[in-house]
Amino acid sequence: MGGHHKKNLRAEKAKVKLKGAKLPKGLNVTKTDFKVRKIEIRTQLKESVLSANNGQRQLNLKEALSRLKHHNLKFRTDALRNVRDAVKAGQAGHLIGHLNELLQGIAAGALDIEQEVRRESFKTLDVLLEGLPVEAVVPFFHIIAAYLRCAMTHVQPSIQEDSLLLLDVLLQRVPSRLLAERSASTIISNFIDMISRTRHDTQHTNRLLTVRLSQGQLTTIKWRTKVLLRLQQILCTLLQQNSQTNSRDSTAGRVVHYDATKVQYYNVLRPQPLDNRDLYSIVGERMRKAENEQLLGYVEQLMPLLHDNWIEVRPQQQQQQLNQLLNADAADSLNVILVIMAQLWQLVLQYEATQQDSTHELSDWMRRTYAVSFMRTFLQDSNYPYQQMPLAASAQSMRGKKAKKLKTPAAGGELCIAQNLTLVQLVCHFWPQPDDDQSEDYGCLLYYIHQCLRRLATLSTDEQLRLVAALRALLLDNGLALLQLQAHRMGTVMQACIDAYVDQQYTTREGISTKVLNLLCQIVQRVDLYQGYGAEEQFAKFLGYLPQLLLKPNVADVTLTAMSTLCRQQNVVFMTALVESASEVFENLGRLLVTGDSCSEESRFENQKRILNLFYHARKCGDVNQLQATLKQVEKNSPENIASYLKSIFSYE
């Protein structure tokens, strides 16, 4: 060891010492005359780089995917933010080839024990689904749905609660068709498991509500309402999907199956059926339950739970005798419970409307099973109409942030208008043929509807939509039966409805005014209802106003159909008003459009002929000489096709 050290010392001493010496001038200058060649990275590496706009180092895509599974909290959140920033920067198209691993890593964040990671994963998934086309997401949707089901059934209450946020993302970004076909039935069953458990002591299929132990600031009532709100949205997607499917089926040709017991009329040609299902629907067809079995399962599980939930929330019998008002939680719970019941009824009625044999077995079963308990729980044993505590009184019992939340009233406000109107519609569904025992209950409902029509200007758009639905159920669907029990109040409500429409008190938002017009047109076309409400004496104001709709820029097809029916029925009031407005109608004929018209010349002329046919029936009403003079003027100034058609129909006797 020593000898080796001495050799090193001698070697160091033998080196040339430059201390104090100066280098020759010019040797310490960097040479810049050499040539360089730029290195270009091809697209195989360019697509795998995620941009970071926050000053952090850029992450490779594989590195970001690996960090999504990292044990460190900061690494996982940073990876999620990097993916989100890359999508916002317009690089979503570069990620399509890695969607399997990417969605696997992001959706797995829904089961993370840290709340921050869960919230970041939901934000990233929201941005990613917004930036990607639907066709790219469809093959991998089962990954997101699987993690959603795992989160909804997780043992940790906090993960269960945050799973609702993941569902909100899917409801907003995923088309209703995809969500309804792939996961609606499973998600609904998971919703039911979140607020109830299976009954083990009996053989009944109904379930027991579960009590949520204190986790954070959510009480049991608020937790159930939060879950039921998402269930309401899922049922809404099912309704939208069914309505779209029914509309496509209605546009196709009519298919009639042979029945030897009935008189039937057949098309000349049977339309060729087209199978537009995707691979998932075809493969899972055998595993999927029939639609009637699914609906039956939904109703059997949900209806008892909704009843029991309201029994727990509503004021007790002793308090109801003192006219106890609903608190904010009870009002919110009542609103979502009634809306879900109404959606279940709509699903059942939609299903029965599509059946070839026009069966009503499912709706009849619902009435036999739940009608009596529904009337007792929601109407007879309660203080109808429902009202909520004043917000100021409720705020005094709350502190801090809770008091601020009460500034936004619950659905229906302090008067609970939305809840009361939905209850009217449900009563009509459960008791379509009322007898003397329900006469008093229906009298109370009709009085409340009349009060709502008197203060129609103060109702919101949602409340007016529910009012129109309640009017349709009362005046049209159950009209004949109720005219036998409450003829006077039914006439009063009908007159108030007509006055409100003619005075243009209904809002035009969401097509509310058009829906009221369609309702009145359907009523006047039915002879039994038209006579039952008082015929011309009741509808004179509406029939006199009806021709004024032909002076507007557009008119609905159902309105033209109602006018044609009235003319064929020789309704003198309507035809007289039509003749009085003949000159204005003919002047507006060239500009008038029918709702749903294809705007082609052929279709427009067909609709113009429908309007001209009205005057053929009304040619002997009103001032005949004035009508003849108007018609001659039209023949001179109108296009040749209209003039010739008008001349031909009036020459026909």
Side-chain angles (χ1 to χ4, degrees):
M1 292 295 291
H4 183 69
H5 178 64
K6 291 180 180 181
K7 289 182 180 181
N8 290 336
L9 289 177
R10 288 194 295 267
E12 290 293 331
K13 291 179 180 180
K15 289 181 179 180
V16 179
K17 303 296 189 295
L18 298 178
K19 186 180 296 185
K22 295 184 178 179
L23 293 173
K25 188 175 181 180
L27 295 180
N28 61 344
V29 178
T30 304
K31 294 182 179 181
T32 60
D33 56 349
F34 55 84
K35 296 182 179 180
V36 297
R37 184 177 180 181
K38 186 177 180 181
I39 300 175
E40 295 182 359
I41 299 178
R42 301 292 179 180
T43 56
Q44 72 272 13
L45 296 178
K46 184 178 178 181
E47 294 183 357
S48 300
V49 176
L50 301 181
S51 63
N53 299 327
N54 52 4
Q56 297 181 358
R57 181 176 68 86
Q58 290 185 345
L59 288 180
N60 184 276
L61 179 58
K62 292 184 178 180
E63 186 178 358
L65 292 174
S66 64
R67 287 194 175 190
L68 291 175
K69 305 176 183 179
H70 202 275
H71 62 86
N72 187 276
L73 170 63
K74 187 176 185 304
F75 275 46
R76 297 198 300 272
T77 54
D78 288 345
L80 290 169
R81 289 169 185 156
N82 282 325
V83 174
R84 188 163 68 245
D85 294 339
V87 176
K88 290 181 179 178
Q91 300 184 23
H94 299 158
L95 304 177
I96 293 181
H98 307 275
L99 279 183
N100 188 18
E101 300 86 356
L102 193 60
L103 290 176
Q104 189 84 24
I106 295 175
L111 305 179
D112 199 284
I113 197 65
E114 297 292 340
Q115 185 181 30
E116 182 180 357
V117 178
R118 295 197 300 269
R119 300 296 173 89
E120 288 293 332
S121 67
F122 300 154
K123 294 178 183 178
T124 304
L125 185 62
D126 184 25
V127 174
L128 185 62
L129 293 178
E130 183 182 9
L132 292 173
V134 179
E135 295 78 10
V137 181
V138 169
F140 308 101
F141 181 74
H142 66 280
I143 299 175
I144 308 175
Y147 279 102
L148 173 63
R149 294 192 292 269
C150 292
M152 295 178 69
T153 57
H154 204 275
V155 294
Q156 292 289 339
S158 58
I159 296 179
Q160 277 193 18
E161 182 179 343
D162 285 348
S163 67
L164 301 181
L165 301 178
L166 176 57
L167 181 62
D168 292 340
V169 173
L170 298 182
L171 289 170
Q172 184 179 3
R173 301 301 180 192
V174 177
S176 58
R177 173 189 59 81
L178 181 60
L179 195 61
E181 289 180 354
R182 299 293 182 91
S183 302
S185 59
T186 308
I187 292 175
I188 290 175
S189 62
N190 291 337
F191 271 129
I192 297 173
D193 290 335
M194 294 174 79
I195 60 174
S196 65
R197 63 175 176 84
T198 307
R199 209 186 271 266
H200 296 292
D201 53 347
T202 62
Q203 296 181 354
H204 297 290
T205 57
N206 53 343
R207 302 166 65 92
L208 289 174
L209 288 170
T210 55
V211 178
R212 178 181 173 86
L213 300 178
S214 57
Q215 296 286 343
Q217 298 180 351
L218 280 181
T219 61
T220 300
I221 297 176
K222 290 183 178 180
W223 167 246
R224 290 175 186 168
T225 304
K226 197 173 182 179
V227 173
L228 291 176
L229 277 173
R230 272 64 175 198
L231 176 60
Q232 172 189 336
Q233 294 174 332
I234 288 292
L235 293 176
C236 185
T237 61
L238 285 176
L239 287 170
Q240 293 176 359
Q241 171 64 15
N242 291 346
S243 61
Q244 293 174 1
T245 304
N246 295 340
S247 63
R248 289 195 299 266
D249 294 342
S250 62
T251 56
R254 185 174 62 97
V255 178
V256 180
H257 298 280
Y258 176 73
D259 188 354
T261 62
K262 299 179 181 178
V263 178
Q264 295 178 314
Y265 302 93
Y266 305 100
N267 299 332
V268 178
L269 296 175
R270 174 170 179 168
Q272 186 69 24
L274 299 176
D275 193 351
N276 297 322
R277 297 175 298 170
D278 56 6
L279 183 60
Y280 178 87
S281 301
I282 297 175
V283 173
E285 185 175 7
R286 294 184 178 180
M287 301 173 58
R288 196 177 302 112
K289 293 182 179 179
E291 187 175 358
N292 60 339
E293 295 180 1
Q294 282 189 348
L295 286 176
L296 182 63
Y298 296 159
V299 174
E300 281 185 336
Q301 295 182 76
L302 285 174
M303 288 297 290
L305 289 180
L306 297 176
H307 279 245
D308 295 342
N309 191 14
W310 176 239
I311 291 175
E312 290 186 12
V313 173
R314 69 179 183 180
Q316 300 302 318
Q317 293 288 342
Q318 297 81 5
Q319 297 174 335
Q320 290 181 13
Q321 296 176 0
L322 301 175
N323 196 19
Q324 179 71 19
L325 303 179
L326 303 179
N327 56 33
D329 292 341
D332 290 341
S333 181
L334 176 63
N335 180 58
V336 68
I337 287 172
L338 294 178
V339 170
I340 291 176
M341 287 185 177
Q343 289 175 332
L344 290 175
W345 266 109
Q346 292 177 29
L347 287 172
V348 170
L349 296 178
Q350 278 185 353
Y351 166 74
E352 293 180 344
T354 58
Q355 299 305 302
Q356 186 67 29
D357 53 356
S358 301
T359 180
H360 299 284
E361 294 181 1
L362 195 53
S363 58
D364 292 340
W365 171 81
M366 286 184 65
R367 296 185 181 103
R368 292 194 305 268
T369 309
Y370 302 110
V372 176
S373 60
F374 174 82
M375 292 287 287
R376 182 177 63 253
T377 303
F378 290 91
L379 190 65
Q380 297 171 352
D381 293 347
S382 303
N383 291 320
Y384 185 85
Y386 294 100
Q387 293 187 22
Q388 185 181 339
M389 292 180 183
L391 299 182
S394 300
Q396 292 178 359
S397 61
M398 310 291 288
R399 293 180 181 180
K401 297 181 180 179
K402 295 183 180 180
K404 295 180 181 179
K405 292 181 181 179
L406 291 174
K407 292 181 180 179
T408 57
E414 297 181 5
L415 297 178
C416 296
I417 297 176
Q419 293 92 320
N420 294 324
L421 292 175
T422 306
L423 186 59
V424 174
Q425 184 183 1
L426 287 171
V427 171
C428 293
H429 285 321
F430 278 110
W431 292 98
Q433 299 295 330
D435 51 22
D436 294 337
D437 296 335
Q438 291 83 40
S439 177
E440 184 177 353
D441 296 330
Y442 269 102
C444 179
L445 300 179
L446 288 169
Y447 176 78
Y448 181 77
I449 292 293
H450 185 250
Q451 296 300 316
C452 290
L453 288 171
R454 294 179 60 180
R455 56 172 181 267
L456 186 61
T458 63
L459 301 185
S460 64
T461 303
D462 178 68
E463 292 167 352
Q464 288 197 21
L465 279 173
R466 302 195 189 199
L467 175 61
V468 174
L471 288 172
R472 173 174 288 275
L474 286 171
L475 301 179
L476 180 62
D477 299 337
N478 296 14
L480 288 178
L482 292 177
L483 283 172
Q484 304 297 325
L485 296 179
Q486 297 283 346
H488 176 69
R489 287 188 174 177
M490 288 285 287
T492 304
V493 171
M494 174 59 74
Q495 188 61 50
C497 180
I498 293 174
D499 293 341
Y501 176 76
V502 175
D503 297 339
Q504 299 181 1
Q505 296 182 15
Y506 292 99
T507 180
T508 56
R509 298 177 181 176
E510 302 290 338
I512 294 176
S513 180
T514 305
K515 291 181 179 180
V516 177
L517 173 62
N518 295 344
L519 171 62
L520 295 175
C521 289
Q522 290 178 4
I523 291 175
V524 297
Q525 290 181 83
R526 290 182 52 178
V527 179
D528 48 1
L529 289 177
Y530 181 75
Q531 297 295 334
Y533 283 113
E536 298 176 357
E537 182 180 357
Q538 181 74 271
F539 294 95
K541 188 175 182 178
F542 173 70
L543 295 175
Y545 175 79
L546 205 54
Q548 301 299 318
L549 300 176
L550 298 176
L551 308 181
K552 295 184 177 182
N554 51 61
V555 64
D557 181 77
V558 66
T559 306
L560 277 183
T561 304
M563 292 180 181
S564 301
T565 304
L566 290 172
C567 287
R568 290 195 300 269
Q569 294 174 351
Q570 293 296 307
N571 192 293
V572 179
V573 177
F574 169 72
M575 292 190 295
T576 303
L578 181 65
V579 171
E580 293 176 355
S581 306
S583 59
E584 293 88 350
V585 171
F586 287 129
E587 183 180 354
N588 190 51
L589 185 61
R591 301 184 296 270
L592 185 63
L593 296 177
V594 178
T595 303
D597 189 6
S598 62
C599 295
S600 63
E601 290 297 328
E602 183 179 356
S603 61
R604 291 191 64 179
F605 181 57
E606 290 297 325
N607 291 322
Q608 290 173 351
K609 289 195 294 185
R610 293 173 63 186
I611 298 175
L612 295 176
N613 291 338
L614 301 178
F615 291 93
Y616 170 77
H617 297 282
R619 65 188 186 278
K620 296 182 181 180
C621 297
D623 192 346
V624 179
N625 296 329
Q626 181 181 358
L627 178 61
Q628 293 295 334
T630 303
L631 294 177
K632 291 180 180 180
Q633 191 70 23
V634 171
E635 292 178 1
K636 294 180 181 179
N637 302 330
S638 298
E640 182 180 356
N641 55 353
I642 294 179
S644 60
Y645 182 79
L646 191 62
K647 184 178 180 180
S648 63
I649 62 174
F650 275 92
S651 62
Y652 178 78
E653 292 294 340

